[in-house]
DNA sequence: CGGTTGTTTGACGAAAATCAAATTGAGTGG
DNA sequence: CCACTCAATTTGATTTTCGTCAAACAACCG
Protein backbone atom coordinates (compact mmCIF):
# COMPACT_ATOMS: atom_id res chain seq x y z
CA UNK A 1 0.00 0.00 0.00
CA UNK A 2 2.57 2.54 1.06
CA UNK A 3 5.28 3.65 -1.34
CA UNK A 4 8.93 4.22 -0.61
CA UNK A 5 9.44 6.64 2.23
CA UNK A 6 11.75 9.32 0.93
CA UNK A 7 10.45 10.17 -2.49
CA UNK A 8 7.20 11.94 -3.09
CA UNK A 9 5.50 9.89 -5.72
CA UNK A 10 2.76 12.19 -6.79
CA UNK A 11 0.89 9.37 -8.40
CA UNK A 12 -0.23 8.48 -4.91
CA UNK A 13 -1.55 11.99 -4.29
CA UNK A 14 -5.14 12.97 -4.81
CA UNK A 15 -4.67 15.48 -7.52
CA UNK A 16 -2.44 13.41 -9.63
CA UNK A 17 -4.99 10.76 -10.22
CA UNK A 18 -6.22 13.34 -12.63
CA UNK A 19 -2.90 14.58 -13.89
CA UNK A 20 -2.07 14.11 -17.52
CA UNK A 21 1.31 12.87 -18.58
CA UNK A 22 2.90 16.22 -19.23
CA UNK A 23 2.16 17.21 -15.71
CA UNK A 24 3.88 14.42 -13.86
CA UNK A 25 7.50 15.00 -14.88
CA UNK A 26 6.86 18.72 -14.56
CA UNK A 27 6.05 18.26 -10.90
CA UNK A 28 9.04 16.01 -10.45
CA UNK A 29 11.34 18.87 -11.29
CA UNK A 30 10.00 21.06 -8.58
CA UNK A 31 8.99 18.77 -5.82
CA UNK A 32 10.45 19.27 -2.42
CA UNK A 33 9.90 17.12 0.62
CA UNK A 34 9.50 18.41 4.14
CA UNK A 35 8.91 16.50 7.31
CA UNK A 36 7.27 17.47 10.56
CA UNK A 37 7.36 16.00 14.01
CA UNK A 38 4.25 15.23 16.01
CA UNK A 39 2.65 18.47 17.12
CA UNK A 40 4.62 20.63 14.73
CA UNK A 41 2.77 23.32 12.86
CA UNK A 42 2.90 23.13 9.07
CA UNK A 43 1.33 26.51 8.45
CA UNK A 44 -0.69 29.00 10.45
CA UNK A 45 -3.87 30.96 9.99
CA UNK A 46 -3.06 34.46 8.80
CA UNK A 47 0.26 33.60 7.20
CA UNK A 48 0.91 34.39 3.58
CA UNK A 49 0.40 31.36 1.37
CA UNK A 50 3.77 30.05 0.31
CA UNK A 51 2.82 26.78 -1.20
CA UNK A 52 0.59 23.81 -1.44
CA UNK A 53 1.30 20.49 0.23
CA UNK A 54 0.62 16.93 -0.70
CA UNK A 55 0.57 14.68 2.29
CA UNK A 56 2.85 11.77 1.74
CA UNK A 57 2.81 10.03 5.10
CA UNK A 58 1.26 10.88 8.43
CA UNK A 59 -1.88 12.57 9.70
CA UNK A 60 -2.65 16.24 10.01
CA UNK A 61 -5.37 18.32 11.60
CA UNK A 62 -6.63 21.43 9.85
CA UNK A 63 -8.17 23.85 12.30
CA UNK A 64 -9.26 27.38 13.01
CA UNK A 65 -8.45 29.17 16.21
CA UNK A 66 -11.17 30.74 18.33
CA UNK A 67 -9.33 32.05 21.35
CA UNK A 68 -6.11 31.07 23.04
CA UNK A 69 -7.50 27.81 24.27
CA UNK A 70 -10.31 26.94 21.88
CA UNK A 71 -10.20 25.88 18.29
CA UNK A 72 -12.39 24.05 15.82
CA UNK A 73 -10.86 21.25 13.82
CA UNK A 74 -12.16 21.63 10.30
CA UNK A 75 -10.98 18.30 8.98
CA UNK A 76 -8.27 15.73 9.13
CA UNK A 77 -5.89 14.90 6.32
CA UNK A 78 -4.07 11.68 5.73
CA UNK A 79 -1.68 10.17 3.24
CA UNK A 80 -2.64 11.31 -0.24
CA UNK A 81 -4.60 14.41 0.76
CA UNK A 82 -3.87 17.99 -0.20
CA UNK A 83 -3.12 20.74 2.28
CA UNK A 84 -3.06 24.49 1.92
CA UNK A 85 -5.36 24.81 -1.06
CA UNK A 86 -7.82 26.69 1.12
CA UNK A 87 -5.56 29.70 0.92
CA UNK A 88 -6.09 30.15 -2.80
CA UNK A 89 -7.60 33.42 -3.86
CA UNK A 90 -7.06 37.14 -4.11
CA UNK A 91 -5.32 37.66 -0.85
CA UNK A 92 -3.36 34.49 -0.51
CA UNK A 93 -3.59 34.15 3.26
CA UNK A 94 -4.12 30.81 4.94
CA UNK A 95 -7.56 30.85 6.54
CA UNK A 96 -6.71 27.81 8.65
CA UNK A 97 -3.78 26.25 10.45
CA UNK A 98 -2.40 22.78 9.97
CA UNK A 99 -0.52 20.72 12.53
CA UNK A 100 0.98 17.26 12.34
CA UNK A 101 -0.72 14.70 14.57
CA UNK A 102 2.15 12.29 14.09
CA UNK A 103 5.42 12.11 12.18
CA UNK A 104 4.50 13.52 8.78
CA UNK A 105 6.14 13.92 5.39
CA UNK A 106 4.69 16.33 2.88
CA UNK A 107 5.54 17.13 -0.68
CA UNK A 108 5.76 20.87 -1.02
CA UNK A 109 5.05 22.83 -4.18
CA UNK A 110 5.52 26.58 -4.36
CA UNK A 111 2.31 28.53 -4.74
CA UNK A 112 3.37 30.56 -7.77
CA UNK A 113 4.51 27.52 -9.58
CA UNK A 114 1.31 25.68 -8.82
CA UNK A 115 -0.77 28.63 -9.97
CA UNK A 116 1.12 28.83 -13.24
CA UNK A 117 0.66 25.14 -13.73
CA UNK A 118 -3.07 25.47 -13.18
CA UNK A 119 -3.19 28.03 -15.94
CA UNK A 120 -1.51 25.58 -18.29
CA UNK A 121 -3.19 22.37 -17.22
CA UNK A 122 -6.88 22.86 -17.68
CA UNK A 123 -7.86 19.36 -16.80
CA UNK A 124 -6.20 19.84 -13.45
CA UNK A 125 -7.99 23.14 -12.91
CA UNK A 126 -11.27 21.46 -13.70
CA UNK A 127 -10.62 18.63 -11.27
CA UNK A 128 -9.52 21.04 -8.61
CA UNK A 129 -12.71 23.00 -9.11
CA UNK A 130 -14.76 19.83 -8.64
CA UNK A 131 -12.71 19.03 -5.59
CA UNK A 132 -13.55 22.39 -4.07
CA UNK A 133 -17.18 21.82 -4.90
CA UNK A 134 -17.12 18.54 -3.00
CA UNK A 135 -15.35 20.13 -0.05
CA UNK A 136 -17.89 22.92 0.01
CA UNK A 137 -20.68 20.39 0.14
CA UNK A 138 -18.98 18.61 3.00
CA UNK A 139 -18.38 21.81 4.90
CA UNK A 140 -21.93 22.98 4.64
CA UNK A 141 -23.30 19.60 5.51
CA UNK A 142 -21.16 19.54 8.59
CA UNK A 143 -22.14 23.09 9.41
CA UNK A 144 -25.76 22.01 9.58
CA UNK A 145 -24.87 19.00 11.70
CA UNK A 146 -22.81 21.02 14.15
CA UNK A 147 -25.65 23.46 14.58
CA UNK A 148 -28.55 21.05 14.95
CA UNK A 149 -27.21 17.85 16.47
CA UNK A 150 -26.84 17.48 20.19
CA UNK A 151 -23.36 16.77 21.45
CA UNK A 152 -23.82 13.03 21.62
CA UNK A 153 -24.88 13.03 17.99
CA UNK A 154 -21.89 15.10 17.02
CA UNK A 155 -19.59 12.66 18.76
CA UNK A 156 -21.23 9.70 17.03
CA UNK A 157 -20.93 11.52 13.75
CA UNK A 158 -17.29 12.35 14.34
CA UNK A 159 -16.43 8.76 15.16
CA UNK A 160 -18.26 7.42 12.12
CA UNK A 161 -16.54 9.95 9.91
CA UNK A 162 -13.17 9.06 11.33
CA UNK A 163 -13.77 5.39 10.77
CA UNK A 164 -14.73 6.06 7.17
CA UNK A 165 -11.69 8.22 6.61
CA UNK A 166 -9.07 6.20 8.42
CA UNK A 167 -10.51 2.71 8.49
CA UNK A 168 -9.97 0.18 11.23
CA UNK A 169 -6.99 -1.85 12.35
CA UNK A 170 -6.89 -5.62 12.69
CA UNK A 171 -8.73 -5.42 16.03
CA UNK A 172 -11.53 -3.27 14.70
CA UNK A 173 -10.35 -0.05 16.33
CA UNK A 174 -10.51 3.18 14.39
CA UNK A 175 -7.09 3.54 12.89
CA UNK A 176 -6.33 6.88 14.41
CA UNK A 177 -4.93 7.86 17.73
CA UNK A 178 -6.69 11.07 18.50
CA UNK A 179 -6.32 12.77 21.85
CA UNK A 180 -9.57 13.46 23.66
CA UNK A 181 -8.74 17.12 23.45
CA UNK A 182 -8.54 17.00 19.68
CA UNK A 183 -11.72 14.98 19.52
CA UNK A 184 -13.52 17.66 21.48
CA UNK A 185 -12.12 20.35 19.18
CA UNK A 186 -13.43 18.41 16.24
CA UNK A 187 -16.83 17.91 17.82
CA UNK A 188 -17.10 21.50 18.97
CA UNK A 189 -17.74 20.84 22.64
CA UNK A 190 -15.74 20.98 25.83
CA UNK A 191 -13.32 18.36 26.87
CA UNK A 192 -15.33 17.35 29.94
CA UNK A 193 -18.62 17.04 28.12
CA UNK A 194 -17.12 14.88 25.42
CA UNK A 195 -15.55 12.71 28.04
CA UNK A 196 -18.80 12.11 29.86
CA UNK A 197 -20.74 11.38 26.71
CA UNK A 198 -18.14 8.93 25.51
CA UNK A 199 -18.62 7.14 28.78
CA UNK A 200 -22.34 6.99 28.13
CA UNK A 201 -21.76 5.60 24.65
CA UNK A 202 -19.52 2.97 26.19
CA UNK A 203 -22.10 2.11 28.82
CA UNK A 204 -24.72 1.72 26.10
CA UNK A 205 -22.37 -0.63 24.29
CA UNK A 206 -22.34 1.53 21.19
CA UNK A 207 -18.58 1.85 21.33
CA UNK A 208 -15.73 0.15 23.08
CA UNK A 209 -12.66 1.82 24.45
CA UNK A 210 -9.26 0.39 25.10
CA UNK A 211 -6.72 2.96 26.11
CA UNK A 212 -6.68 5.58 23.41
CA UNK A 213 -8.37 3.30 20.89
CA UNK A 214 -12.03 3.41 20.04
CA UNK A 215 -14.11 0.80 18.33
CA UNK A 216 -17.66 1.15 17.07
CA UNK A 217 -19.49 -1.98 18.13
CA UNK A 218 -23.10 -1.01 17.52
CA UNK A 219 -23.35 0.86 14.29
CA UNK A 220 -27.13 1.00 14.37
CA UNK A 221 -27.09 2.83 17.70
CA UNK A 222 -24.47 5.23 16.44
CA UNK A 223 -26.47 5.98 13.33
CA UNK A 224 -29.57 6.56 15.42
CA UNK A 225 -27.79 9.44 17.15
CA UNK A 226 -27.03 11.25 13.94
CA UNK A 227 -30.62 11.19 12.70
CA UNK A 228 -32.53 14.43 12.67
CA UNK A 229 -34.69 14.42 15.77
CA UNK A 230 -38.19 13.77 14.43
CA UNK A 231 -40.62 16.47 15.41
CA UNK A 232 -43.28 15.33 17.86
CA UNK A 233 -46.78 16.20 16.65
CA UNK B 1 -27.68 50.32 -11.49
CA UNK B 2 -30.32 47.82 -12.47
CA UNK B 3 -30.62 46.75 -16.06
CA UNK B 4 -33.80 46.20 -18.05
CA UNK B 5 -36.14 43.77 -16.40
CA UNK B 6 -36.92 41.16 -18.98
CA UNK B 7 -33.61 40.31 -20.49
CA UNK B 8 -30.89 38.53 -18.61
CA UNK B 9 -27.83 40.60 -19.28
CA UNK B 10 -25.14 38.29 -18.10
CA UNK B 11 -22.68 41.11 -17.85
CA UNK B 12 -24.39 41.96 -14.60
CA UNK B 13 -23.90 38.47 -13.27
CA UNK B 14 -20.99 37.46 -11.14
CA UNK B 15 -19.39 35.01 -13.44
CA UNK B 16 -19.55 37.12 -16.48
CA UNK B 17 -17.30 39.74 -15.07
CA UNK B 18 -14.71 37.19 -16.04
CA UNK B 19 -16.27 35.94 -19.26
CA UNK B 20 -14.35 36.38 -22.42
CA UNK B 21 -16.00 37.67 -25.55
CA UNK B 22 -16.71 34.34 -27.17
CA UNK B 23 -18.63 33.30 -24.15
CA UNK B 24 -21.18 36.08 -23.98
CA UNK B 25 -23.04 35.54 -27.26
CA UNK B 26 -22.84 31.84 -26.65
CA UNK B 27 -24.78 32.26 -23.45
CA UNK B 28 -27.23 34.51 -25.16
CA UNK B 29 -28.30 31.66 -27.41
CA UNK B 30 -29.20 29.44 -24.52
CA UNK B 31 -30.38 31.69 -21.80
CA UNK B 32 -33.79 31.17 -20.37
CA UNK B 33 -35.48 33.31 -17.80
CA UNK B 34 -37.64 31.99 -15.01
CA UNK B 35 -39.43 33.87 -12.31
CA UNK B 36 -40.51 32.84 -8.87
CA UNK B 37 -42.99 34.28 -6.45
CA UNK B 38 -42.15 35.00 -2.84
CA UNK B 39 -41.80 31.72 -0.97
CA UNK B 40 -41.54 29.60 -4.08
CA UNK B 41 -38.89 26.93 -4.16
CA UNK B 42 -36.34 27.17 -6.94
CA UNK B 43 -34.77 23.79 -6.34
CA UNK B 44 -34.71 21.27 -3.54
CA UNK B 45 -32.13 19.27 -1.68
CA UNK B 46 -31.87 15.80 -3.15
CA UNK B 47 -33.12 16.70 -6.62
CA UNK B 48 -31.05 15.95 -9.65
CA UNK B 49 -29.15 19.02 -10.81
CA UNK B 50 -30.85 20.36 -13.91
CA UNK B 51 -29.11 23.64 -14.30
CA UNK B 52 -27.35 26.61 -12.84
CA UNK B 53 -29.04 29.91 -12.10
CA UNK B 54 -27.91 33.50 -12.22
CA UNK B 55 -29.99 35.69 -10.02
CA UNK B 56 -31.21 38.63 -11.99
CA UNK B 57 -33.56 40.32 -9.51
CA UNK B 58 -34.76 39.42 -6.06
CA UNK B 59 -33.41 37.69 -2.99
CA UNK B 60 -33.06 34.00 -2.28
CA UNK B 61 -32.23 31.88 0.73
CA UNK B 62 -30.09 28.79 0.31
CA UNK B 63 -30.70 26.33 3.09
CA UNK B 64 -30.41 22.77 4.32
CA UNK B 65 -33.20 20.93 5.97
CA UNK B 66 -32.75 19.30 9.37
CA UNK B 67 -36.18 17.93 10.19
CA UNK B 68 -39.66 18.93 9.12
CA UNK B 69 -39.53 22.14 11.05
CA UNK B 70 -35.88 23.04 11.35
CA UNK B 71 -33.44 24.16 8.74
CA UNK B 72 -30.16 26.01 8.54
CA UNK B 73 -29.86 28.87 6.11
CA UNK B 74 -26.47 28.53 4.50
CA UNK B 75 -26.38 31.88 2.80
CA UNK B 76 -28.44 34.49 1.04
CA UNK B 77 -28.18 35.38 -2.62
CA UNK B 78 -29.08 38.62 -4.26
CA UNK B 79 -29.06 40.17 -7.70
CA UNK B 80 -25.96 39.07 -9.57
CA UNK B 81 -25.23 35.96 -7.50
CA UNK B 82 -25.04 32.39 -8.74
CA UNK B 83 -27.30 29.61 -7.55
CA UNK B 84 -27.09 25.88 -7.91
CA UNK B 85 -23.36 25.58 -8.42
CA UNK B 86 -23.13 23.64 -5.17
CA UNK B 87 -24.58 20.64 -6.95
CA UNK B 88 -21.60 20.23 -9.24
CA UNK B 89 -19.77 16.98 -8.97
CA UNK B 90 -19.96 13.28 -9.58
CA UNK B 91 -23.49 12.71 -8.47
CA UNK B 92 -25.14 15.88 -9.57
CA UNK B 93 -27.61 16.19 -6.73
CA UNK B 94 -28.42 19.50 -5.11
CA UNK B 95 -27.06 19.39 -1.55
CA UNK B 96 -29.17 22.42 -0.61
CA UNK B 97 -32.52 23.99 -1.34
CA UNK B 98 -33.19 27.48 -2.60
CA UNK B 99 -36.33 29.51 -2.05
CA UNK B 100 -37.27 32.99 -3.18
CA UNK B 101 -37.63 35.51 -0.35
CA UNK B 102 -39.33 37.95 -2.69
CA UNK B 103 -40.33 38.17 -6.33
CA UNK B 104 -37.31 36.79 -8.13
CA UNK B 105 -36.13 36.45 -11.71
CA UNK B 106 -33.33 34.07 -12.52
CA UNK B 107 -31.44 33.33 -15.67
CA UNK B 108 -31.36 29.60 -16.12
CA UNK B 109 -28.64 27.65 -17.92
CA UNK B 110 -28.85 23.91 -18.43
CA UNK B 111 -26.29 21.93 -16.47
CA UNK B 112 -24.91 19.95 -19.41
CA UNK B 113 -24.48 23.04 -21.46
CA UNK B 114 -22.75 24.84 -18.66
CA UNK B 115 -20.42 21.91 -18.07
CA UNK B 116 -19.49 21.75 -21.72
CA UNK B 117 -18.85 25.46 -21.70
CA UNK B 118 -16.59 25.11 -18.69
CA UNK B 119 -14.55 22.58 -20.61
CA UNK B 120 -14.13 25.08 -23.42
CA UNK B 121 -13.70 28.25 -21.42
CA UNK B 122 -10.72 27.76 -19.19
CA UNK B 123 -10.66 31.25 -17.83
CA UNK B 124 -14.20 30.72 -16.61
CA UNK B 125 -13.25 27.41 -15.02
CA UNK B 126 -10.38 29.10 -13.27
CA UNK B 127 -12.56 31.89 -11.94
CA UNK B 128 -15.19 29.45 -10.84
CA UNK B 129 -12.54 27.47 -9.00
CA UNK B 130 -11.42 30.61 -7.18
CA UNK B 131 -15.02 31.40 -6.41
CA UNK B 132 -15.45 28.00 -4.80
CA UNK B 133 -12.28 28.56 -2.83
CA UNK B 134 -13.68 31.81 -1.47
CA UNK B 135 -17.00 30.19 -0.62
CA UNK B 136 -15.20 27.37 1.15
CA UNK B 137 -13.30 29.88 3.24
CA UNK B 138 -16.53 31.63 4.13
CA UNK B 139 -18.29 28.42 5.01
CA UNK B 140 -15.54 27.22 7.29
CA UNK B 141 -15.21 30.58 8.94
CA UNK B 142 -18.90 30.60 9.63
CA UNK B 143 -18.73 27.01 10.85
CA UNK B 144 -16.29 28.06 13.51
CA UNK B 145 -18.43 31.02 14.48
CA UNK B 146 -21.61 28.97 14.73
CA UNK B 147 -19.84 26.51 16.98
CA UNK B 148 -18.05 28.87 19.32
CA UNK B 149 -20.10 32.06 19.54
CA UNK B 150 -22.98 32.36 21.93
CA UNK B 151 -26.34 33.07 20.40
CA UNK B 152 -26.16 36.80 20.92
CA UNK B 153 -22.86 36.86 19.09
CA UNK B 154 -24.30 34.85 16.25
CA UNK B 155 -27.17 37.29 15.93
CA UNK B 156 -24.80 40.25 15.92
CA UNK B 157 -22.69 38.49 13.33
CA UNK B 158 -25.70 37.69 11.18
CA UNK B 159 -26.90 41.28 11.23
CA UNK B 160 -23.48 42.66 10.39
CA UNK B 161 -23.14 40.17 7.55
CA UNK B 162 -26.53 41.08 6.20
CA UNK B 163 -25.73 44.75 6.29
CA UNK B 164 -22.53 44.12 4.39
CA UNK B 165 -24.27 42.01 1.81
CA UNK B 166 -27.43 44.04 1.28
CA UNK B 167 -26.45 47.51 2.39
CA UNK B 168 -28.77 50.01 4.05
CA UNK B 169 -31.67 52.05 2.78
CA UNK B 170 -31.99 55.83 3.04
CA UNK B 171 -33.02 55.54 6.71
CA UNK B 172 -30.09 53.38 7.67
CA UNK B 173 -32.06 50.15 7.96
CA UNK B 174 -30.57 46.94 6.63
CA UNK B 175 -31.97 46.64 3.15
CA UNK B 176 -33.56 43.30 3.61
CA UNK B 177 -36.88 42.28 4.98
CA UNK B 178 -36.16 39.02 6.69
CA UNK B 179 -38.74 37.25 8.78
CA UNK B 180 -37.71 36.51 12.33
CA UNK B 181 -38.16 32.88 11.54
CA UNK B 182 -35.63 33.04 8.71
CA UNK B 183 -33.28 35.03 10.88
CA UNK B 184 -33.37 32.30 13.48
CA UNK B 185 -32.74 29.66 10.82
CA UNK B 186 -29.73 31.64 9.67
CA UNK B 187 -28.44 32.07 13.21
CA UNK B 188 -29.05 28.47 14.15
CA UNK B 189 -31.17 29.05 17.20
CA UNK B 190 -34.83 28.91 18.06
CA UNK B 191 -37.28 31.55 17.16
CA UNK B 192 -38.04 32.49 20.75
CA UNK B 193 -34.42 32.74 21.81
CA UNK B 194 -33.59 34.99 18.89
CA UNK B 195 -36.55 37.13 19.68
CA UNK B 196 -35.53 37.65 23.27
CA UNK B 197 -31.93 38.40 22.43
CA UNK B 198 -32.94 40.92 19.79
CA UNK B 199 -34.91 42.64 22.50
CA UNK B 200 -31.81 42.76 24.65
CA UNK B 201 -29.78 44.22 21.80
CA UNK B 202 -32.46 46.86 21.38
CA UNK B 203 -32.50 47.62 25.09
CA UNK B 204 -28.73 48.03 25.00
CA UNK B 205 -29.12 50.46 22.11
CA UNK B 206 -26.97 48.34 19.86
CA UNK B 207 -29.73 48.06 17.29
CA UNK B 208 -32.99 49.78 16.56
CA UNK B 209 -36.14 48.11 15.33
CA UNK B 210 -39.03 49.59 13.42
CA UNK B 211 -41.53 47.01 12.29
CA UNK B 212 -39.62 44.45 10.29
CA UNK B 213 -36.66 46.76 9.73
CA UNK B 214 -33.48 46.60 11.71
CA UNK B 215 -30.79 49.24 12.01
CA UNK B 216 -27.40 48.85 13.61
CA UNK B 217 -26.86 51.94 15.73
CA UNK B 218 -23.88 50.93 17.82
CA UNK B 219 -21.42 49.11 15.65
CA UNK B 220 -18.79 48.93 18.35
CA UNK B 221 -21.14 47.04 20.67
CA UNK B 222 -22.11 44.69 17.88
CA UNK B 223 -18.51 43.97 17.06
CA UNK B 224 -17.78 43.32 20.69
CA UNK B 225 -20.22 40.43 20.62
CA UNK B 226 -18.51 38.70 17.75
CA UNK B 227 -15.09 38.76 19.39
CA UNK B 228 -13.68 35.51 20.66
CA UNK B 229 -14.32 35.46 24.36
CA UNK B 230 -10.91 36.12 25.90
CA UNK B 231 -9.86 33.38 28.23
CA UNK B 232 -9.82 34.38 31.92
CA UNK B 233 -6.52 33.53 33.54
C1' DC C 1 -65.58 37.08 10.11
C1' DG C 2 -63.29 32.71 11.49
C1' DG C 3 -58.90 30.60 10.65
C1' DT C 4 -54.28 30.43 9.87
C1' DT C 5 -49.84 32.31 10.61
C1' DG C 6 -46.46 35.27 12.84
C1' DT C 7 -45.30 37.80 17.21
C1' DT C 8 -44.59 38.42 22.10
C1' DT C 9 -43.97 36.79 26.63
C1' DG C 10 -43.20 33.93 30.82
C1' DA C 11 -42.32 29.51 33.34
C1' DC C 12 -39.72 25.54 33.37
C1' DG C 13 -36.35 21.96 32.38
C1' DA C 14 -32.52 19.84 29.94
C1' DA C 15 -28.11 20.12 28.07
C1' DA C 16 -23.83 21.59 28.21
C1' DA C 17 -20.24 24.86 30.04
C1' DT C 18 -17.72 26.10 33.91
C1' DC C 19 -15.32 25.27 38.03
C1' DA C 20 -12.76 22.58 41.14
C1' DA C 21 -10.16 18.75 42.49
C1' DA C 22 -8.24 14.15 42.48
C1' DT C 23 -5.69 10.82 39.72
C1' DT C 24 -2.98 9.07 36.24
C1' DG C 25 0.58 9.24 32.91
C1' DA C 26 4.46 10.82 30.20
C1' DG C 27 8.53 12.89 29.86
C1' DT C 28 12.93 14.98 32.07
C1' DG C 29 16.82 15.55 34.59
C1' DG C 30 19.38 14.00 38.16
C1' DC D 1 15.78 4.11 38.55
C1' DC D 2 13.69 7.65 41.06
C1' DA D 3 11.71 11.96 42.13
C1' DC D 4 9.72 15.87 39.89
C1' DT D 5 6.96 18.54 36.77
C1' DC D 6 3.61 19.25 33.63
C1' DA D 7 0.00 17.71 30.84
C1' DA D 8 -3.92 14.75 30.16
C1' DT D 9 -7.63 12.18 32.20
C1' DT D 10 -11.46 11.42 35.27
C1' DT D 11 -15.10 12.84 38.21
C1' DG D 12 -18.57 15.51 40.77
C1' DA D 13 -20.89 19.94 41.99
C1' DT D 14 -22.65 24.19 40.32
C1' DT D 15 -24.22 27.59 37.01
C1' DT D 16 -25.66 29.35 32.58
C1' DT D 17 -27.64 29.26 28.47
C1' DC D 18 -30.82 27.99 25.59
C1' DG D 19 -34.64 25.08 24.05
C1' DT D 20 -39.33 23.55 25.02
C1' DC D 21 -43.90 24.37 26.19
C1' DA D 22 -47.86 27.10 26.71
C1' DA D 23 -50.70 30.93 26.13
C1' DA D 24 -52.18 35.46 24.67
C1' DC D 25 -52.45 38.54 21.02
C1' DA D 26 -51.91 40.92 16.51
C1' DA D 27 -52.03 40.64 11.57
C1' DC D 28 -53.30 38.97 7.47
C1' DC D 29 -56.28 36.58 4.04
C1' DG D 30 -59.76 34.26 1.86
Amino acid sequence: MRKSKNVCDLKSCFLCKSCNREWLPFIDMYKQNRSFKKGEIIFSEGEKVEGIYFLFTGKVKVYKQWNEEKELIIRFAKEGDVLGHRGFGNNAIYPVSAAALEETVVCYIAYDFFLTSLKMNHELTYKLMMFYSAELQDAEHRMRDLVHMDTKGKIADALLMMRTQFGTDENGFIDMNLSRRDLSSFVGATYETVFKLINELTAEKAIRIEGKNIQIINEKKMRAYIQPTPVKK
Side-chain angles (χ1 to χ4, degrees), chain A:
Chain A
M1 183 68 60
R2 180 175 293 176
K3 309 294 167 53
S4 81
K5 279 213 155 41
N6 298 314
V7 182
C8 175
D9 171 10
L10 270 181
K11 272 171 289 191
S12 72
C13 292
F14 152 79
L15 275 172
C16 289
K17 288 175 191 158
S18 61
C19 285
N20 58 25
R21 301 194 176 279
E22 294 89 337
W23 174 245
L24 277 173
F26 208 24
I27 272 286
D28 273 332
M29 293 168 52
Y30 287 85
K31 71 180 194 303
Q32 215 182 317
N33 283 337
R34 296 184 177 183
S35 66
F36 295 90
K37 288 194 294 289
K38 176 175 177 168
E40 235 185 312
I41 288 175
I42 302 174
F43 54 80
S44 274
E45 214 172 330
E47 280 177 14
K48 198 168 160 304
V49 173
E50 299 289 354
I52 186 171
Y53 301 84
F54 296 86
L55 228 164
F56 186 48
T57 51
K59 295 187 177 67
V60 170
K61 65 171 175 180
V62 176
Y63 60 100
K64 282 179 91 82
Q65 211 70 38
W66 173 241
N67 59 22
E68 303 90 79
E69 63 179 27
K70 265 188 190 167
E71 64 189 28
L72 177 72
I73 294 180
I74 299 291
R75 62 157 190 148
F76 298 106
K78 67 169 200 295
E79 193 174 323
D81 290 331
V82 204
L83 280 179
H85 57 293
R86 276 169 172 70
F88 282 25
N90 294 328
N91 61 336
I93 303 289
Y94 289 117
V96 293
S97 307
L101 293 172
E102 51 187 57
E103 185 72 25
T104 288
V105 178
V106 299
C107 169
Y108 169 81
I109 296 171
Y111 182 52
D112 286 344
F113 172 72
F114 191 72
L115 270 191
T116 311
S117 306
L118 277 176
K119 296 264 186 193
M120 295 170 56
N121 185 335
H122 302 132
E123 178 67 11
L124 181 62
T125 308
Y126 184 79
K127 295 276 175 171
L128 188 57
M129 185 198 75
M130 285 304 190
F131 176 59
Y132 275 119
S133 176
E135 287 224 303
L136 184 60
Q137 285 190 30
D138 277 1
E140 291 179 341
H141 187 90
R142 190 150 172 261
M143 189 159 117
R144 188 204 60 175
D145 290 350
L146 288 174
V147 166
H148 285 308
M149 279 181 185
D150 63 15
T151 305
K152 209 160 172 181
K154 289 191 266 183
I155 292 171
D157 200 26
L159 293 176
L160 288 166
M161 283 167 63
M162 281 170 48
R163 193 183 57 172
T164 302
Q165 183 171 12
F166 296 104
T168 50
D169 64 17
E170 60 280 4
N171 301 315
F173 292 110
I174 293 170
D175 203 358
M176 183 185 205
N177 238 328
L178 196 64
S179 78
R180 296 292 149 89
R181 204 162 288 281
D182 278 337
L183 179 58
S184 64
S185 294
F186 186 51
V187 160
T190 60
Y191 190 77
E192 295 94 326
T193 302
V194 170
F195 176 82
K196 289 165 192 178
L197 292 173
I198 280 191
N199 278 352
E200 287 186 26
L201 286 171
T202 308
E204 297 162 8
K205 305 215 179 300
I207 61 175
R208 196 165 68 85
I209 296 200
E210 207 177 287
K212 295 184 71 67
N213 294 314
I214 302 185
Q215 179 184 15
I216 294 172
I217 52 178
N218 189 331
E219 176 141 0
K220 191 176 258 183
K221 262 185 190 162
M222 294 296 270
R223 298 222 170 270
Y225 281 121
I226 66 175
Q227 290 310 312
T229 32
V231 66
K232 60 5 8 332
K233 60 125 204 346

